[in-house]
Amino acid sequence: MRPGAHDVPDEHDEHGGADCVVDCAVYVAGHRLPGRCGYTEALAQVRQSPGSFLWLGLHQPTEAEFTPIAATFGLDELAVEAAVTLRQRPKIERFGDVSVFVLRTTRYVEHPELTETSEVVETGSVVVFIGDGFVITVRQGSAGQLAPVRADLEKRPDLLAQGPWAVAHAVSDRLVDSYLEVAVAFENDIDELEDHVFSSQSQNRAAQIYQLKRELMEFKRAVAPLQHPLAALTEDKELLPKEIRRYFRDVNDHLLRTVERITGYDDLLNSILQARLAQLSVDQNNDMRKIAAWAAIAAAQTAIAGVYGMNFDFMPELHWRYGYAMVMALMFLVAFTMYRAFRRSGWL
């Protein structure tokens, strides 16, 4: 669940001089201009070319690395904090003419077996800054790589021609699709856990259930809060172009379906947990009945032995030659009779 601190960028830095820069490109009428340039040069080029915009991609910038970038693009100081802060809640905010769109990234962590310490989902964040003639994407963590998003968008110049908000849509669309991929993987874990819990040779898996539920809650905290920002974007007629707003509605529909699945998984895990606790209660009752049955059998033998161990002078059959054998036979008969009775009643 912790973002990968040592993850490498999607591509080697050849732009802008900062280690955090993944890619920087200028797009005119939906087409990427050839050549490579730093973000300062790219911004100057955009200012001289109406209808163009630049896309600057960053990966895990430090505050020292992002501060000069923020100064170049005129970003608010709160925007700097948003870019370098981990585990933010999904939101959309306006700082003057710049919109800040925060999304959470998720990645399913493969594990050979679910244990009480297994990490199932890893989360990070992507902050998208959308301004006049530029879009900046800042990725924190190893999840949610954006190089495939850029590659797919560059194959669709008609969509890229819509401007920076087309990038914001593509990023959100890819991340929401990744939520569904993680949800499907979660479902496989839940199915496997359910099979183990209800099998005839079930072991105590309450710890695994709790762990999977904790991971599901981490996943839910990354996904569910995005509903409000996306809903707000689909209703904002001034901020978004009409065509892009239509695309955001489709993303919002996918997100709602994912949230519904997560809610269903949560309810299912609660049911599995309750069923497992009921099984444990039944098993404990069965154990207590067995203990009580054996204790009753032992108590009968103790009672007989206790009577003939009181050393009174006048007791029946005390000096009889076969008294010892008779008492032992009596004890065996009582024990055997009680054992058969407990077996028939299901206590043993």
Side-chain angles (χ1 to χ4, degrees), residues 173-315:
D173 185 45
R174 177 66 189 94
L175 295 185
V176 170
D177 286 345
S178 72
Y179 297 160
L180 184 58
E181 295 170 3
V182 175
V184 171
F186 251 109
E187 185 174 8
N188 294 333
D189 273 338
I190 293 174
D191 289 342
E192 182 179 350
L193 185 62
E194 189 176 19
D195 290 340
H196 284 298
V197 167
F198 292 105
S199 68
S200 58
Q201 298 178 341
S202 175
Q203 299 176 347
N204 184 10
R205 291 189 172 260
Q208 286 89 329
I209 298 174
Y210 279 118
Q211 176 63 13
L212 192 58
K213 189 172 177 63
R214 281 194 295 269
E215 294 293 311
L216 183 64
M217 288 301 99
E218 175 74 9
F219 182 40
K220 185 176 182 180
R221 283 193 292 269
V223 175
L226 184 58
Q227 295 176 92
H228 179 69
L230 276 182
L233 281 175
T234 59
E235 300 298 329
D236 196 329
K237 297 181 180 180
E238 296 181 359
L239 186 62
L240 295 183
K242 181 179 179 180
E243 186 69 15
I244 296 299
R245 195 163 63 248
R246 179 173 66 89
Y247 285 127
F248 269 109
R249 288 196 191 98
D250 180 65
V251 175
N252 192 41
D253 289 340
H254 291 174
L255 178 67
L256 292 177
R257 287 198 292 268
T258 304
V259 172
E260 288 175 359
R261 296 186 70 158
I262 295 174
T263 303
Y265 295 161
D266 190 27
D267 293 339
L268 181 57
L269 278 177
N270 287 334
S271 299
I272 294 174
L273 181 59
Q274 292 300 321
R276 184 56 191 153
L277 293 178
Q279 285 180 336
L280 291 175
S281 179
V282 170
D283 292 342
Q284 289 174 350
N285 288 337
N286 289 336
D287 292 340
M288 290 301 298
R289 289 196 300 178
K290 290 179 181 180
I291 294 172
W294 285 112
I297 294 173
Q301 315 309 306
T302 303
I304 296 173
V307 169
Y308 278 89
M310 289 187 291
N311 296 322
F312 291 125
D313 288 335
F314 301 99
M315 292 184 65

Side-chain angles (χ1 to χ4, degrees), residues 301 304-305 308 322-333:
Q301 315 309 306
I304 296 173
Y308 278 89
Y322 301 104
Y324 172 78
M326 182 196 71
V327 171
M328 295 300 295
L330 176 63
M331 293 171 67
F332 175 79
L333 179 62

Side-chain angles (χ1 to χ4, degrees), residues 326-346:
M326 182 196 71
V327 171
M328 295 300 295
L330 176 63
M331 293 171 67
F332 175 79
L333 179 62
V334 170
F336 181 74
T337 303
M338 294 179 68
Y339 176 79
R340 290 294 301 273
F342 284 129
R343 287 281 293 182
R344 283 197 299 268
S345 65

Side-chain angles (χ1 to χ4, degrees), residues 55-56 58 66 69 73 75 127-129 134-138:
W55 179 358
L56 173 63
L58 308 174
F66 191 73
I69 297 175
F73 288 89
L75 303 181
V127 184
V128 185
F129 298 90
F134 68 87
V135 57
I136 304 173
T137 54
V138 182

